[in-house]
Structure formats: structure tokens, C-alpha cells
Amino acid sequence: MKQKFTVTGMTCSACSAHVDKAVRKLDGVTDVNVNLLGGSMTVDWDGALTPEQIVSAVEKAGYGASLPAAPGQSAAQAKPEARAMEDDLKNMKARLIASFVFFIPLFYLSMGHMMGMPIPHFFHGPENAMTYALTLFLLTVPIMVINQKYYRVGFKTLFHLSPNMDSLIAVGSAAAVIYGIAALYCIGWGLGHGDMALVEHYSMDLYFESAGTILTLITLGKFLETRSKGKTGEAISRLMDLTPKTAAVLRDGEEVEVPVEQVQAGDLVLVRPGGSVPVDGVVTEGASSVDESALTGESIPVDKGPGDTVISASINKSGVLTIRATRVGDNTTLAQMIRLVDEAASSKAPIAKLADKVAGVFVPVVMGIALVTAVIWMIATGSVERALTSGVAVLVISCPCALGLATPVAIMVGTGKGAEQGILVKSAEGLENLRSVTTVVLDKTGTVTEGKPKVTDLYPLGKTTAEELLCVAASLEKPSEHPLGTAIVEEAANRTIPLCPVEKFEAVHGKGVRGTIQGADFLAGNAAMLSDAKVDLGKDTMIADELAKQGKTPLFFVEDGKPIGIIAVADTVKQTSRAAIEGFQKLGLKVVMLTGDNKRTAEAIGRELGLTQVVSEVLPADKERQIAALQEQGEKVAMVGDGINDAPALARADVGLAIGAGADVAIESADIVLMKSDLVDAVTAVELSRATIRNVKQNLFWAFFYNAICIPVAAGVLAIWGGPQLSPMLGAAAMSFSSVCVVTNALRLRFFKPSIQSHSEVKTGGMPAVEVKGEQKAMEKKVVIEGMMCQHCRAHVDKALNGIPGASATVDLDSKTAVVTGDVSDEAIRAAVEEAGYQVVSIA
């Protein structure tokens, strides 16, 4: 069983290490993942262990734990949990202001004379030492009360034998205050017995200002750190803010506004212009453009109509849409994105394991060092003040926070930045592994290519025009519903070419189709179809051979035994695929394309993309073996795929990247999901991985370097050779500065920019150009004609329009329209039609 818990009271990596250790001791626990930043813990266990027992174990370790709010809660119910850090920040700000109110006069009285500032005369001299000392003590006590959390948590964890950073602060500041109180008694003794030398000695070594400074500066550092950490989680916060609160549902024919949590799968939901889509669904009525940029990063709105899918939190820009809900609650795309980003931010990268091990023993070791330091200085100098100064300085300068924050803040910012780019990282381990891959394996269909065939070339033969060829081809292919035929029908629709009715239609399996159009016999299909019909292409066979070499499928069209044209259809390469492959190569990665296609087609696409390694005719089951073979050669492999047959290969690869528009099983098998289905984003993911792990290494270096240098300095190593002795006040300032530096460095990832433009910026728009042999792109006009009643009428209009110099026309009787191609004026078209005895309704 796997369960997430909310954990309270953790302030540093030592805390998370103790929580981890306490839970791992329980029988049946197989894995524990504690997230210091998010204040959460995920536990995997087997057997009879209950969540209550896990909560109890955490509480016995000195921390709080509870089960998170139930799934499906409303945004209002989730608000306290989501705003916990904001409330903590407000509380810390209030504590900080109150601390400074007392710290400023405390610092002025204790240190002002060293800076040449005037001190009230009634604080001067040994005779006023008690007044001076009591004033400092009374200014220190409120600071201690305001920041009592350090003592409450610090001593509690210390008593549970799991000391943390609060323990260091509590012991260090308490030691300074206890020494100051002892000094108060000594001053009183000296005043009472006339020992002014004793009074003067202890009035200069009160250490109240050290305790006040430690508490105030630590709180300042914590405030800055918490504020910065809040920014690291902005990606999740922004995603949560996208969640619509209500939905307009159609029930019994009436519109009812309900909380989005009450929408059920199958409900009809109404989305008006400007409204946010509340759930995932399919459009049943209406047409509109929908802005999906918040989820996919695609800046251009996408046109939606009946049958199209829409995703939650996308914005309806124009028309009214009625959608049927398919995924609701925690199953929506938005909810899954939030879950994935949260899980990735909560997970630990392998690089963090060393820091976690060190953090687990860091505080006890530091306390030991502080104690040894104090004893050595006491023996060496006989000075309690010197021993106390060194011991307290060691306690407050050490920074387990820097160690604990080094990895998680960078991972959280990196995964959040990925979400903004439409890249969902499912685990920190996947993000770390991606930086070290040496080979990228690409599935062809749907990843490198569009995944569906499109018309690429038109070769009209004889006197046939491109428009006539497309009209005949689309008319013949429409009844077949074959994927290649569908591509031709779509091309005709894009060119607004009307279709003709087909009689005596017949589909010949594996070869093509035949039928009669306006009395003429047509056939369409592959070379086998022509061979059966004994049609000879003659020299035009060379055209078909060249198209086949390019990896395209040539389809032949014949009218009454005479070839009228060839149309090439292919699964075209995505417009950004070449840029992505060049991007991989610039990053020093080998690129391999795997495909089940025949060798000729695969190599043609490989040449087009500049690939040197293409593996063709690979069965679905063999893709995983190809990945394993590369790994046996010492390669670290990233696999990019989208289909069900890619799932085993995605799981086998060191890092699997799934195209977001692909199959659910492929997405489940992957470590990273590319929401925009754009290969360029895979390049961005590699760059983001390298930037994030580089940032983690910088943070870890700083954390180890800081502690390795500062702890010996605080212990007084420099003082042995006549150097300065670090005061506890400077130690506290340095400790706060260390944590803030680590978080600030991680926040630099927010300015990460991919080296390659996004899909929406790269593409030049529209469908890929279709080459037409021997023709230049000409102007097309659609003419609506009134008065055509039969095929004779159609023939009259056809003859009239094709008789216009420079014009080529196709006339459709059913739609009462004609498409005229060529540099022809509207007046010439109107005159020709009217002269034939018909009337022009409109010309577009």
C-alpha cells in the first residue's frame, strides 16, 4: 500500500532524516520518501501496518503527522493546506518585526560604544553595571519568548535523541543566556563586596546580545528562506489556481450550476465564451477555438468542433460548446498534471542520497564538535568566556539547512519550469538520469512523423489539371474509407474542391477501388491494380519509382484505360523533427530511429532528417530488445515514443519520454511526458535536466564547502595562529546567509530558456506544401451557380468556364458550385456563366 502523509514540525534536513528513520523502523515498511519542502511524506508498506501506526511513529520522533485531505475536496476545502506556507510566512514576518523591536535597542546598548555611538550616562561605569546588565537581559527575554518555537521544537527533538537545527539554535542561545544570568549574579556579588574589578570584567561579557542576535538573525534567514521556497512551488500553485470552481451542467434539459466536484462522467457540460473547461470531455455541439496554453504551452488556440476532445482548465475563446464529460475529479488532465508535478518535486534524486546521509548525523556531530571545542579552549586558556564563545559559535554557524535544501529546491524549481514548458517530469530520478544519456532512440510513427498519411505530391498526366485529378481521386476514395484514401479526401477538402457522385463503386482488397463518374470508368490503386487492368504507364513509371525511393506511396488513377495522374501519399515528418534531431546532435547525443516500416521508407525519412542510424522492419516486441542491445554496448538510452507497442521499450530505457497525445500505457511507462507532442520538447527536457542537476551540484558544493570551512573557523582554528575569533553573532549571520544562498541559486532556474524555439514559433503555418508537377500555384475561386438541373447543365457550365482564356474549372452539380483556377476576373466568370444561360449567385 502507498499513502501520503502531511508532516509538521520539520525545519531542516536532520528533521526529515529522523522522520525517515522513525518510519523505516516499522515492520512492513518498504520505502519512505520525506519531502522537507512540501511538509509531506510518502510511505510504501506491506502487511498489517496501519496509517495510525505510522502517524504514531512520527509523533514519537517529536513531529506531527496526519493523513492529507480526502480526494475530491473542493478548492475552498483545500485552501488551508495550500495556504499553509503563506500563513507560516505571515507568522514569521510578525515574529521578525517584533524581534527587531527589541533587538535594535539591545544591539545599540551592547555594541554602540564600539561604534562610537553615545550611550546614556546612567549605563556608564561599574557602579551602573547592574542597571546595564538587567536592561540587556530584559530586552533579550522578549526575543526569546517571541522565538520560543526554537526552544520548544529544539529541546523536544533533543530529548527524543533526534536533534535538529532548532536544537543547535536552542542550545547555543540558551547557553549564552545562562552564562549572562551567571554574570548577573557575579556583578551583584562584586557590587555587594566592593570587588569592582569583578564587576567590570563580567559587565563586558554578558552574552545577552549574542543570544538576541542569534535568534533574530536566524529568524530573518528563515523568513527569507521561506519566502524564496514559496517561489519554488509557484508552478504547482499556478496549476491549482487553474482549477475551475463550478460547472454549468445540463440536466433534464435545464442548465444547473454545480461545484466541479459534483460533475459525473457522462454529464453534458455547457462552456460559454471566456469560460474555463471544468472537466475533460468530448465536444457534442458547437464550434470554438480553445486556448490550451496553460496546460500544453501551445500559444495558438486550437479549433474544436463535434467529436474533438477538450481538456480541463483550457479557455473557450469564442463559441458556445457543449461537452460530454469523460474524465472528472482526480482523473482530469489538470489533476494528473498537479499530481505528477507534486510527486516529482517530492521525489529524491540519487544525487541527494549523500546529502541525506550526512544530514542524518550532522547535528549530533556538530554538537560533539562544539563540546570538544569548548573543553579544549577551557583547558588551553582557562577562560570560560573563550570556551563559551567558541562552542556557541560552532553550534550556530553550522547549517544542516543548506545540505537539506541543496537538492529539493532545485528539483522543485526544475520540475515546475518543465511544467510551464509542457514537460511533465514524473520523478527526480528520471530528471537526473536524463542529463547523462548518450543515445536517444526515436519511434518513427507519431513521434518523428505526424502519424497519419497526407498528400505530398500531385502528378497530373496528359491534359488533366491538378484540380481535376484531385476531384476524381477524392470522389473515388471517399466511399473506401481507406487511410490513404482519407488523406486524398482531406486534401480535396482543404482546397475546397467539390466531389462528384460515384456509381458502381467497388473496392478491390489490397489493390484499390474502381467506379463510374459521369459515365466514365475510373480506377484508382497501386501498381498491382494497374497490372490487373493491363494499363501501361510507360515512361511515367519512373515517377512512381522516384516517389517510392523517397519513402512515399504512389497511387495511380486511370480514366477509361488511360492514366490521368499519380498522387503520392506519405506519413509526413513533423515540421519540428529535423530541428529537434539537430538539437540532440548539438548536445552531443547519438540519435537512432526505430520503425516497423520497410527499409526503403525508413531510409528515405532518415535521409530527410539527417540521421545516420535507422533501424527498420522492427516488430513491436523487438523494440525493447533494441534498447537492451544499446545498453549492453555501454550506452545510456533515452527512448521517445507514443504507442502501446512502445511501452516495453520506454520501461526498458534508462529514461522514457512519452508523447502526450499517445496511448495511456505509454505515458504510464515513461519517466517524462511531453504534453505538446513535440519532439523539440525532448531536447528542452535534456537541457532542463542538465541545468537542474548542475544547479544541484552547485548547491551541494556550497553546502559542503560552507560547513567544512566555517565550522573550523568558528571553533577558533585561526585564533591558534593569531587570527580572529569568530563571534556567535557573526556565526548566526553566516548560517542564515548560507541557506538563503542555496535557495536563491535554485531560483535562477526560473530563468531557464530552451535553445530551440517551441512548436508554435517554429512552424510556418498550414498544411505542408503539396508539390504539383508542371504547375504554379494559381488563384482559386469558388462560384455558386443557380439554374443547373442535370448533367447536361453541368456540362454547359463546365464548357463555358473552361473556355475562358487561362481558366481551369471543375463543376459540381450536387453542390451547384464550380471551382475556377487561374488568373481570371470575377466579371469574366460571371459573363461566361450568364452567356451559357445560368446565374452566378456568389464568387469567393
Side-chain angles (χ1 to χ4, degrees):
M1 183 175 178
K2 186 175 183 178
Q3 178 65 56
K4 186 174 182 180
F5 296 82
T6 300
V7 181
T8 57
M10 295 190 299
T11 57
C12 68
S13 57
C15 299
S16 58
H18 291 312
V19 171
D20 185 291
K21 186 177 180 181
V23 176
R24 283 187 189 275
K25 287 181 180 178
L26 298 173
D27 293 335
V29 172
T30 56
D31 189 36
V32 181
N33 192 351
V34 182
N35 180 13
L36 172 63
L37 277 178
S40 64
M41 169 181 69
T42 304
V43 183
D44 283 304
W45 75 87
D46 299 320
L49 191 66
T50 64
E52 289 73 22
Q53 290 174 300
I54 294 173
V55 169
S56 177
V58 175
E59 290 174 345
K60 287 178 181 177
Y63 304 91
S66 62
L67 290 170
Q73 65 181 351
S74 66
Q77 291 171 317
K79 189 174 181 180
E81 186 177 329
R83 302 299 181 190
M85 185 174 285
E86 185 178 327
D87 293 340
D88 192 27
L89 193 62
K90 287 180 180 178
N91 178 266
M92 204 171 290
K93 185 176 182 181
R95 280 170 45 203
L96 181 63
I97 293 171
S99 296
F100 267 104
V101 167
F102 294 97
F103 170 70
I104 291 172
L106 173 66
F107 185 81
Y108 177 78
L109 286 176
S110 59
M111 308 295 290
H113 63 282
M114 297 172 62
M115 303 177 188
M117 296 179 180
I119 303 295
H121 67 88
F122 52 83
F123 290 123
H124 287 212
E127 65 277 10
N128 293 314
M130 184 59 76
T131 305
Y132 175 71
L134 278 173
T135 303
L136 295 185
F137 176 66
L138 293 174
L139 287 171
T140 303
V141 169
I143 297 175
M144 297 175 71
V145 173
I146 291 165
N147 297 288
Q148 61 180 287
K149 179 182 177 183
Y150 296 126
Y151 300 101
R152 192 173 63 249
V153 175
F155 286 119
K156 181 181 179 182
T157 55
L158 185 60
F159 293 148
H160 281 91
L161 301 179
S162 55
N164 62 3
M165 190 198 73
D166 287 344
S167 303
L168 298 178
I169 298 167
V171 171
S173 60
V177 170
I178 290 170
Y179 179 84
I181 293 172
L184 268 174
Y185 280 94
C186 291
I187 291 171
W189 173 272
L191 289 172
H193 292 78
D195 188 349
M196 303 310 283
L198 183 67
V199 171
E200 189 168 356
H201 172 75
Y202 279 104
S203 64
M204 300 303 294
D205 285 310
L206 289 167
Y207 279 89
F208 289 129
E209 74 280 0
S210 293
T213 303
I214 290 169
L215 294 170
T216 304
L217 290 184
I218 294 295
T219 302
L220 173 62
K222 281 287 184 182
F223 171 74
L224 296 175
E225 178 189 318
T226 303
R227 189 174 66 173
S228 298
K229 284 196 294 187
K231 294 178 182 178
T232 67
E234 282 182 354
I236 294 178
S237 298
R238 281 196 292 267
L239 286 174
M240 293 182 73
D241 289 341
L242 292 173
T243 309
K245 307 298 184 289
T246 61
V249 179
L250 296 176
R251 289 179 177 165
D252 299 325
E254 294 186 2
E255 181 182 336
V256 181
E257 187 167 307
V258 300
V260 71
E261 297 80 21
Q262 295 181 14
V263 179
Q264 303 294 319
D267 281 350
L268 290 176
V269 180
L270 201 65
V271 185
R272 292 189 169 82
S276 180
V277 178
V279 293
D280 292 5
V282 178
V283 178
T284 58
E285 280 185 51
S288 178
S289 58
V290 175
D291 181 2
E292 299 177 344
S293 59
L295 295 174
T296 65
E298 176 61 74
S299 59
I300 300 175
V302 182
D303 290 334
K304 300 288 184 180
D308 292 331
T309 58
V310 290
I311 53 180
S312 55
S314 50
I315 306 298
N316 182 17
K317 303 294 287 185
S318 51
V320 178
L321 292 176
T322 302
I323 65 172
R324 185 174 300 282
T326 55
R327 292 182 178 180
V328 298
D330 289 342
N331 295 320
T332 64
T333 300
L334 176 62
Q336 290 178 356
M337 282 184 67
I338 293 172
R339 177 177 57 81
L340 286 176
V341 174
D342 185 38
E343 287 180 357
S346 301
S347 62
K348 287 183 179 173
I351 197 172
K353 291 178 180 177
L354 175 61
D356 287 344
K357 288 179 181 177
V358 172
V361 297
F362 185 86
V363 175
V365 168
V366 167
M367 285 186 160
I369 293 173
L371 181 61
V372 170
T373 299
V375 170
I376 290 174
W377 279 109
M378 175 68 78
I379 295 171
T381 65
S383 169
V384 177
E385 296 88 348
R386 192 67 177 268
L388 183 66
T389 298
S390 300
V392 172
V394 169
L395 288 174
V396 298
I397 203 170
S398 58
C399 189
C401 276
L403 278 172
L405 293 171
T407 301
V409 289
I411 294 295
M412 179 171 277
V413 179
T415 53
K417 194 65 186 177
E420 290 178 9
Q421 302 283 336
I423 301 166
L424 291 187
V425 180
K426 294 170 68 175
S427 72
E429 185 175 359
L431 186 67
E432 180 179 346
N433 289 341
L434 186 58
R435 62 173 276 279
S436 57
V437 299
T438 57
T439 300
V440 178
V441 176
L442 308 175
D443 172 54
K444 180 186 78 72
T445 305
T447 301
V448 172
T449 64
E450 295 288 353
K452 65 176 185 177
K454 292 182 179 179
V455 173
T456 58
D457 303 83
L458 294 174
Y459 284 85
L461 302 177
K463 294 182 179 180
T464 306
T465 65
E467 286 71 23
E468 288 172 341
L469 175 60
L470 259 181
C471 176
V472 169
S475 299
L476 283 171
E477 294 288 359
K478 187 170 184 178
S480 73
E481 297 184 353
H482 189 278
L484 299 182
T486 301
I488 294 174
V489 174
E490 287 179 356
E491 180 65 23
N494 290 334
R495 292 171 174 243
T496 64
I497 293 177
L499 305 186
C500 300
V502 179
E503 299 173 351
K504 300 179 182 178
F505 175 81
E506 179 187 356
V508 182
H509 181 68
K511 296 180 179 180
V513 297
R514 59 166 55 94
T516 301
I517 301 176
Q518 297 174 3
D521 293 327
F522 290 88
L523 63 85
N526 55 24
M529 185 81 166
L530 267 64
S531 178
D532 290 350
K534 296 182 172 50
V535 176
D536 184 17
L537 281 175
K539 63 179 181 180
D540 292 326
T541 304
M542 296 170 59
I543 298 174
D545 291 342
E546 182 60 32
L547 290 171
K549 286 180 183 178
Q550 296 172 20
K552 300 172 182 177
T553 302
L555 299 176
F556 306 96
F557 296 86
V558 177
E559 179 183 4
D560 292 331
K562 182 180 179 183
I564 61 171
I566 302 171
I567 296 179
V569 178
D571 181 8
T572 57
V573 171
K574 289 181 179 179
Q575 295 177 10
T576 55
S577 290
R578 186 175 182 89
I581 289 167
E582 289 174 353
F584 283 130
Q585 292 167 342
K586 286 178 182 177
L587 291 173
L589 303 177
K590 300 175 187 174
V591 184
V592 179
M593 186 178 76
L594 285 184
T595 177
D597 278 353
N598 62 73
K599 187 174 182 180
R600 176 184 278 187
T601 300
E603 288 182 348
I605 292 176
R607 285 193 299 272
E608 184 180 348
L609 295 172
L611 288 172
T612 55
Q613 287 184 271
V614 177
V615 183
S616 58
E617 299 176 359
V618 179
L619 296 174
D622 292 334
K623 289 185 178 181
E624 186 263 348
R625 294 194 191 98
Q626 292 289 337
I627 300 294
L630 287 168
Q631 290 172 327
E632 287 171 4
Q633 295 170 21
E635 302 288 342
K636 287 203 72 173
V637 182
M639 169 74 187
V640 188
D642 72 322
I644 292 174
N645 59 5
D646 295 325
L650 288 169
R652 162 66 70 175
D654 296 284
V655 184
L657 296 93
I659 295 296
D664 287 346
V665 66
I667 293 173
E668 285 298 319
S669 301
D671 301 294
I672 295 171
V673 181
L674 310 178
M675 292 294 292
K676 287 185 283 186
S677 303
D678 189 346
L679 196 56
V680 161
D681 288 338
V683 181
T684 301
V686 175
E687 294 173 340
L688 180 62
S689 168
R690 292 182 178 183
T692 301
I693 302 306
R694 183 167 58 246
N695 192 283
V696 169
K697 288 183 175 180
Q698 291 168 352
N699 286 346
L700 285 172
F701 172 79
W702 167 255
F704 281 111
F705 174 80
Y706 165 85
N707 284 293
I709 296 297
C710 289
I711 290 177
V713 170
V717 171
L718 296 180
I720 296 173
W721 290 281
Q725 171 70 57
L726 196 68
S727 75
M729 290 184 287
L730 289 176
M735 191 274 234
S736 299
F737 176 72
S738 174
S739 295
V740 173
C741 279
V742 166
V743 177
T744 303
N745 185 53
L747 288 175
R748 291 190 306 110
L749 284 170
R750 298 169 72 199
F751 304 104
F752 168 82
K753 297 288 184 185
S755 63
I756 306 177
Q757 292 175 308
S758 68
H759 168 73
S760 58
E761 293 169 325
V762 169
K763 67 181 183 181
T764 54
M767 297 275 290
V770 178
E771 294 185 23
V772 181
K773 182 185 177 184
E775 292 193 7
Q776 294 183 344
K777 189 173 181 179
M779 185 182 297
E780 287 186 354
K781 296 184 179 182
K782 186 174 182 179
V783 187
V784 179
I785 301 169
E786 187 177 314
M788 292 192 296
M789 304 298 291
C790 63
Q791 290 296 337
H792 291 292
C793 298
R794 188 205 65 79
H796 285 310
V797 173
D798 185 88
K799 184 177 180 181
L801 290 174
N802 282 300
I804 302 173
S808 174
T810 303
V811 182
D812 179 55
L813 178 62
D814 292 339
S815 62
K816 305 293 192 291
T817 60
V819 176
V820 180
T821 307
D823 189 11
V824 184
S825 66
D826 291 355
E827 290 74 15
I829 294 172
R830 195 178 299 275
V833 171
E834 291 177 352
E835 187 176 337
Y838 305 92
Q839 186 176 352
V840 173
V841 176
S842 64
I843 301 176

